[in-house]
Amino acid sequence: MDFLIMNRDTVVAEWIDNKLNLIKPSLAPMYLELTSNVPKWLETRAIDSHRANSRLLKKALRLTERDDIGSVLSVNAVTITDNYWIKPINSDLCYADVRFDNDYFATLALTGSYDSFNRAAHSKSTKTPELTNIGSFEKCWKLINGDWWMYKKANHDEMFSEFFIYQLGMELGFNMAEYKRGNGVIKTKDFTDNAMVNFEPAFNFMNDCEDYIQTLETLKDLCPNCICDYVKMLFLDTICANPDRHTFNFGILRDINTGDVLGLAPNFDNNMALISRGYPKNIKRKNDIFVSLFNELLEFDNRLKKYIPPLTEEIILKVIKSVGMRVRSKEITEFIMNGYNQIEQ
């Protein structure tokens, strides 16, 4: 299939006879500029097929092609958090025709309930952001008063961990995506403000490489202003033991008109950190891999130490109290402070 790759209503590339022709590289997705691998780029935009509710969603939509690329093509590869999309050669479609304006399939994507499946299966609408809502957790996009919010299922400990880290980051003055607690869900606001900027996940310029030093060096070339927020993100990952900072849950924001990198995206997706998988047994943080990796980064460039804020037990206890959930405050505080005290400052 031949098509044009768009940034809003600007043609940025052509995909013809399985070959990529970049027309405006500065406005194209970074991954295409670096690799020219259009099929892989499309796959990275697809809903996780292993999510049970994704299979129900595709069934309700009666998709004839249920593989990753087929799912993405069915909605012109549109997502909530950027302005990239595709259209057939010689098509009259414009961005206003394909961008999302409703959350009709949200309940089905989040809960997979019979009623939501039955209702969705009888809908005439097929345009949904859920087919390009990536990630392994059951989730959905909800449109509330003109703003998109991500709703993600969470148990008590996942919700505490996500919301506590958000509140701790805010207390420390970090750049954090906005989170709210819900009934069995954790909610986060679309930090692109309905694609007023383009979010590029780090995968687009790092592939699967999660190495701190290599990422730091790449960010220095892309946007030196990202360094401060990147180190602060890793600092939170370290003290709160976040094992899930892969290249799809952080990234950069780009100007939609120039392609310039504006900065690091706000810190998001911390629901597998801290106590989300149970209270850590290694409270003293001996041989802690998170601390070791972060200290290696600080040893590589000791100027980065200036981005590490002071942290006290009082700050942690204050934040735990503000979250308002029953947890073992003493254990959590000790775990975080032991990690903090082992960081080379």
Side-chain angles (χ1 to χ4, degrees):
M1 177 182 177
D2 297 339
F3 50 78
L4 302 175
I5 300 170
M6 312 292 294
N7 185 341
R8 291 208 168 185
D9 286 314
T10 300
V11 179
V12 298
E14 300 172 329
W15 179 249
I16 300 175
D17 294 332
N18 294 321
K19 291 184 179 180
L20 179 69
N21 174 32
L22 284 170
I23 297 172
K24 293 191 175 181
S26 64
L27 297 181
M30 282 186 173
Y31 188 75
L32 299 186
E33 187 177 2
L34 292 175
T35 70
S36 298
N37 191 340
V38 172
K40 180 63 177 179
W41 174 69
L42 291 173
E43 288 174 356
T44 66
R45 296 168 80 79
I47 187 173
D48 189 336
S49 60
H50 294 96
R51 280 161 48 189
N53 294 350
S54 78
R55 296 191 290 275
L56 290 175
L57 179 67
K58 293 175 185 180
K59 195 170 187 177
L61 290 168
R62 296 178 172 84
L63 292 187
T64 55
E65 300 291 339
R66 297 187 185 181
D67 62 299
D68 286 348
I69 292 180
S71 299
V72 170
L73 291 179
S74 71
V75 290
N76 296 87
V78 179
T79 74
I80 293 293
T81 56
D82 65 42
N83 296 274
Y84 306 130
W85 62 289
I86 64 169
K87 69 176 182 178
I89 303 290
N90 300 322
S91 169
D92 293 329
L93 282 174
C94 63
Y95 188 50
D97 298 326
V98 298
R99 71 184 310 184
F100 303 119
D101 56 9
N102 70 82
D103 59 7
Y104 189 82
F105 296 92
T107 303
L108 174 58
L110 182 66
T111 69
S113 68
Y114 168 76
D115 287 342
S116 64
F117 174 77
N118 199 40
R119 186 169 59 250
H122 287 89
S123 171
K124 294 181 180 179
S125 174
T126 58
K127 190 170 70 171
T128 171
E130 303 311 332
L131 291 174
T132 52
N133 190 358
I134 67 172
S136 58
F137 281 75
E138 301 294 7
K139 60 179 70 173
C140 72
W141 282 110
K142 295 279 285 184
L143 188 59
I144 302 174
N145 297 324
D147 294 321
W148 287 102
W149 285 79
M150 174 80 75
Y151 281 49
K152 182 162 55 177
K153 278 192 173 181
N155 61 34
H156 177 278
D157 291 347
E158 290 167 347
M159 190 176 299
F160 171 81
S161 299
E162 185 95 78
F163 198 64
F164 167 82
I165 293 171
Y166 158 65
Q167 294 278 44
L168 179 60
M170 293 296 291
E171 179 71 20
L172 297 174
F174 290 3
N175 181 24
M176 307 295 292
E178 182 180 355
Y179 278 85
K180 290 184 178 180
R181 288 171 53 192
N183 185 18
V185 296
I186 188 79
K187 303 180 285 188
T188 180
K189 190 176 181 182
D190 163 31
F191 51 74
T192 69
D193 193 19
N194 202 6
M196 294 303 294
V197 291
N198 283 329
F199 171 63
E200 297 263 3
F203 178 85
N204 284 8
F205 52 88
M206 293 302 300
N207 287 300
D208 290 319
C209 176
E210 300 175 14
D211 183 82
Y212 292 174
I213 294 173
Q214 290 186 48
T215 304
L216 178 79
E217 294 296 279
T218 301
L219 288 175
K220 283 180 181 178
D221 293 334
L222 287 175
C223 178
N225 291 336
C226 291
I227 301 304
C228 174
D229 285 339
Y230 178 63
V231 174
K232 289 177 178 179
M233 179 187 75
L234 295 181
F235 169 76
L236 274 183
D237 287 349
T238 300
I239 61 174
C240 296
N242 182 5
D244 196 40
R245 188 62 65 194
H246 54 75
T247 56
F248 280 103
N249 64 16
F250 77 100
I252 58 176
L253 301 179
R254 299 177 71 190
D255 187 285
I256 60 176
N257 297 309
T258 65
D260 293 342
V261 179
L262 303 173
L264 203 72
N267 186 324
F268 67 98
D269 213 343
N270 295 282
N271 66 314
M272 288 185 65
L274 207 55
I275 63 168
S276 62
R277 295 298 178 267
Y279 284 81
K281 295 180 180 179
N282 182 19
I283 294 292
K284 296 188 180 298
R285 311 288 296 263
K286 290 184 177 179
N287 302 314
D288 189 290
I289 184 61
F290 301 106
V291 173
S292 297
L293 291 173
F294 192 58
N295 279 338
E296 286 176 10
L297 180 68
L298 299 180
E299 290 168 6
F300 173 77
D301 186 348
N302 60 22
R303 293 171 298 179
L304 303 177
K305 295 178 181 179
K306 65 185 177 183
Y307 300 126
I308 299 175
L311 183 66
T312 64
E313 290 186 4
E314 288 73 23
I315 291 174
I316 298 170
L317 290 170
K318 174 186 174 183
V319 174
I320 292 175
K321 184 177 180 180
S322 72
V323 172
M325 297 177 69
R326 294 192 65 178
V327 292
R328 283 145 46 185
S329 301
K330 183 178 178 181
E331 285 184 41
I332 292 171
T333 302
E334 185 179 353
F335 179 79
I336 293 173
M337 286 304 300
N338 284 342
Y340 175 74
N341 289 329
Q342 292 187 51
I343 292 173
E344 296 180 2
Q345 301 175 63

